[in-house]
Amino acid sequence: MYKKVYIEITNICNMNCSFCHGHKRAPRRMNSDEFSLVLDKISGLTEYIYYHLMGEPLTHPDLPDFIKTATKRGFKSIITTNGTLLGKHGDKILSAGVHKVNISLHSFEKGSDADHESYVVSLAEFAKKAAENGVITVFRLWNKGFDSGKNASSIELLKKYISGEWAENTRGIRIREKLYLEYGDRFEWPDADAEIKGNKFFCYGLKDQFGILADGTVVPCCLDSDGVINLGNAFNEDIESILNSERAVNIVNGFKCGKASEDLCKRCGYAQRFV
C-alpha cells in the first residue's frame, strides 16, 4: 500500500505564485471517465488521494463530483489549494465529503495589505466551517527564508478570527480540533536544466507515493511537474506493470543505496533532505 497517490485532475491554475515551478505542458483537465478509470487502476494501492501535482484543483468544475465518487469507492480525498476559490467553492467540497484541505497561505504573499486581509479572513471562515463539519484544515507557511513580511500578519489575522488553544508543536501550531498551522522550508523544485545537487540522494517517490498527471502519465513523485520521468500511462496501461517496470524498480533500488538513477532526481534539492 502506498501512503498516497497524487492525481492531477487539472494542470491549470488561477495564480502564478513565486514558489511554484510551473510546467510547460498543454493545459488539460481530466474528465469524469478518465478520473473514474484512474480510481479503478489504483484501487487497493492506497487510501489517500491528493488532487494535484500542478494546477489548482478548485478550478475544476467536476471536483465535488470527483470527491463524491472517490468517497463511494473508499478513498479519502485531500485537497491542496491556494485558497483563493474557497469562498466560492468551499461549501461544495465540504458537502462532497473532502477529508482534508491544505491551504498554501503563502500564495498571497505579494498582494496588497487590504487584499491579503480579505484573503485570510475568507480562509478563516472556511476553516471554522470545515472544523465544525469534521474536516481537517491545515494552513501552510512553507516559505522559510522567503517571507515577504506577510507571515506575521497572516498569523495575527488568523488569531483574530479563529479562537483556539494555539498550542505550538514540532510542526507548527495546533489551533484547535481539526485545525492546524504548519511551518516549512521553501524547497527547490527539480529542473532538467539545474545543476546536479550532490552525490547522495533519497526520496519516498515510488516507495510511499507516486503521481498521475492530467494526461495519465505516471511519475514517481509529486515534484515531477513536466512528466520528465514518464513511467507509462495509467489511461491505457496496467498500473501494476508500470510500477514494477525496470525503470521504476531501478529508481526504488537506487534510493535504497543513496543513489539517483534518474537525471532529474540528481537535480532535486528535496531528494537530499532525507540523506
Side-chain angles (χ1 to χ4, degrees), residues 141-147 151 183-187:
L141 287 172
W142 287 10
N143 60 346
K144 186 178 179 180
F146 292 85
D147 176 16
N151 282 12
Y183 300 110
D185 293 329
R186 179 167 172 171
F187 58 85

mmCIF file of all heavy atoms in Angstrom, residues 141-147 151 183-187:
data_model
loop_
_atom_site.group_PDB
_atom_site.id
_atom_site.type_symbol
_atom_site.label_atom_id
_atom_site.label_comp_id
_atom_site.label_asym_id
_atom_site.label_seq_id
_atom_site.Cartn_x
_atom_site.Cartn_y
_atom_site.Cartn_z
ATOM 1 N N LEU A 141 2.609 27.535 5.872
ATOM 2 C CA LEU A 141 3.557 28.617 5.623
ATOM 3 C C LEU A 141 4.899 27.951 5.290
ATOM 4 O O LEU A 141 5.818 27.917 6.113
ATOM 5 C CB LEU A 141 3.666 29.539 6.842
ATOM 6 C CG LEU A 141 2.469 30.459 7.090
ATOM 7 C CD1 LEU A 141 2.604 31.182 8.432
ATOM 8 C CD2 LEU A 141 2.302 31.465 5.959
ATOM 9 N N TRP A 142 4.970 27.409 4.101
ATOM 10 C CA TRP A 142 6.167 26.697 3.653
ATOM 11 C C TRP A 142 7.067 27.666 2.879
ATOM 12 O O TRP A 142 7.353 27.468 1.703
ATOM 13 C CB TRP A 142 5.769 25.512 2.767
ATOM 14 C CG TRP A 142 5.153 24.365 3.507
ATOM 15 C CD1 TRP A 142 4.749 24.333 4.807
ATOM 16 C CD2 TRP A 142 4.878 23.069 2.988
ATOM 17 N NE1 TRP A 142 4.225 23.106 5.123
ATOM 18 C CE2 TRP A 142 4.290 22.308 4.031
ATOM 19 C CE3 TRP A 142 5.054 22.477 1.741
ATOM 20 C CZ2 TRP A 142 3.896 20.980 3.852
ATOM 21 C CZ3 TRP A 142 4.653 21.163 1.557
ATOM 22 C CH2 TRP A 142 4.086 20.415 2.610
ATOM 23 N N ASN A 143 7.509 28.707 3.559
ATOM 24 C CA ASN A 143 8.288 29.732 2.877
ATOM 25 C C ASN A 143 9.417 30.277 3.755
ATOM 26 O O ASN A 143 9.787 31.449 3.653
ATOM 27 C CB ASN A 143 7.384 30.881 2.430
ATOM 28 C CG ASN A 143 6.667 31.555 3.607
ATOM 29 O OD1 ASN A 143 6.624 31.035 4.723
ATOM 30 N ND2 ASN A 143 6.111 32.731 3.362
ATOM 31 N N LYS A 144 9.961 29.434 4.597
ATOM 32 C CA LYS A 144 11.053 29.859 5.467
ATOM 33 C C LYS A 144 12.194 30.427 4.622
ATOM 34 O O LYS A 144 12.648 29.793 3.684
ATOM 35 C CB LYS A 144 11.544 28.684 6.311
ATOM 36 C CG LYS A 144 12.597 29.073 7.345
ATOM 37 C CD LYS A 144 13.000 27.866 8.176
ATOM 38 C CE LYS A 144 14.069 28.240 9.201
ATOM 39 N NZ LYS A 144 14.489 27.076 10.020
ATOM 40 N N GLY A 145 12.628 31.614 4.975
ATOM 41 C CA GLY A 145 13.694 32.268 4.232
ATOM 42 C C GLY A 145 13.205 33.117 3.078
ATOM 43 O O GLY A 145 13.996 33.834 2.451
ATOM 44 N N PHE A 146 11.904 33.043 2.784
ATOM 45 C CA PHE A 146 11.330 33.813 1.682
ATOM 46 C C PHE A 146 10.077 34.564 2.119
ATOM 47 O O PHE A 146 9.235 34.901 1.313
ATOM 48 C CB PHE A 146 10.994 32.897 0.496
ATOM 49 C CG PHE A 146 12.201 32.317 -0.182
ATOM 50 C CD1 PHE A 146 12.796 31.162 0.298
ATOM 51 C CD2 PHE A 146 12.742 32.936 -1.297
ATOM 52 C CE1 PHE A 146 13.920 30.625 -0.327
ATOM 53 C CE2 PHE A 146 13.862 32.411 -1.927
ATOM 54 C CZ PHE A 146 14.444 31.251 -1.439
ATOM 55 N N ASP A 147 9.958 34.810 3.411
ATOM 56 C CA ASP A 147 8.796 35.516 3.939
ATOM 57 C C ASP A 147 8.846 36.976 3.488
ATOM 58 O O ASP A 147 9.802 37.696 3.784
ATOM 59 C CB ASP A 147 8.794 35.412 5.461
ATOM 60 C CG ASP A 147 7.668 36.211 6.093
ATOM 61 O OD1 ASP A 147 6.730 36.582 5.365
ATOM 62 O OD2 ASP A 147 7.744 36.455 7.307
ATOM 63 N N ASN A 151 3.826 36.707 6.747
ATOM 64 C CA ASN A 151 3.601 35.615 7.691
ATOM 65 C C ASN A 151 3.042 36.118 9.021
ATOM 66 O O ASN A 151 2.059 35.592 9.547
ATOM 67 C CB ASN A 151 4.896 34.837 7.941
ATOM 68 C CG ASN A 151 5.219 33.879 6.821
ATOM 69 O OD1 ASN A 151 4.618 33.931 5.746
ATOM 70 N ND2 ASN A 151 6.188 33.003 7.043
ATOM 71 N N TYR A 183 4.625 25.127 9.598
ATOM 72 C CA TYR A 183 5.739 25.847 9.013
ATOM 73 C C TYR A 183 6.593 24.874 8.190
ATOM 74 O O TYR A 183 6.613 23.676 8.447
ATOM 75 C CB TYR A 183 6.617 26.460 10.105
ATOM 76 C CG TYR A 183 5.905 27.436 11.009
ATOM 77 C CD1 TYR A 183 5.632 27.107 12.337
ATOM 78 C CD2 TYR A 183 5.514 28.688 10.555
ATOM 79 C CE1 TYR A 183 4.984 28.004 13.185
ATOM 80 C CE2 TYR A 183 4.865 29.587 11.377
ATOM 81 C CZ TYR A 183 4.605 29.239 12.694
ATOM 82 O OH TYR A 183 3.961 30.115 13.518
ATOM 83 N N GLY A 184 7.307 25.407 7.235
ATOM 84 C CA GLY A 184 8.202 24.569 6.451
ATOM 85 C C GLY A 184 9.168 25.411 5.637
ATOM 86 O O GLY A 184 8.924 26.599 5.379
ATOM 87 N N ASP A 185 10.269 24.800 5.259
ATOM 88 C CA ASP A 185 11.231 25.470 4.398
ATOM 89 C C ASP A 185 10.694 25.538 2.976
ATOM 90 O O ASP A 185 10.011 24.619 2.514
ATOM 91 C CB ASP A 185 12.560 24.709 4.377
ATOM 92 C CG ASP A 185 13.266 24.738 5.721
ATOM 93 O OD1 ASP A 185 13.106 25.731 6.445
ATOM 94 O OD2 ASP A 185 13.962 23.752 6.031
ATOM 95 N N ARG A 186 11.010 26.604 2.300
ATOM 96 C CA ARG A 186 10.724 26.669 0.870
ATOM 97 C C ARG A 186 11.705 25.734 0.168
ATOM 98 O O ARG A 186 12.907 25.801 0.409
ATOM 99 C CB ARG A 186 10.900 28.096 0.368
ATOM 100 C CG ARG A 186 10.635 28.254 -1.126
ATOM 101 C CD ARG A 186 10.510 29.720 -1.480
ATOM 102 N NE ARG A 186 10.441 29.922 -2.916
ATOM 103 C CZ ARG A 186 10.150 31.083 -3.495
ATOM 104 N NH1 ARG A 186 9.915 32.143 -2.747
ATOM 105 N NH2 ARG A 186 10.098 31.201 -4.794
ATOM 106 N N PHE A 187 11.187 24.844 -0.671
ATOM 107 C CA PHE A 187 12.062 23.871 -1.319
ATOM 108 C C PHE A 187 12.298 24.225 -2.779
ATOM 109 O O PHE A 187 11.527 24.964 -3.393
ATOM 110 C CB PHE A 187 11.497 22.450 -1.209
ATOM 111 C CG PHE A 187 10.121 22.269 -1.784
ATOM 112 C CD1 PHE A 187 9.929 22.022 -3.129
ATOM 113 C CD2 PHE A 187 8.998 22.327 -0.966
ATOM 114 C CE1 PHE A 187 8.659 21.846 -3.664
ATOM 115 C CE2 PHE A 187 7.725 22.155 -1.478
ATOM 116 C CZ PHE A 187 7.561 21.909 -2.829
#
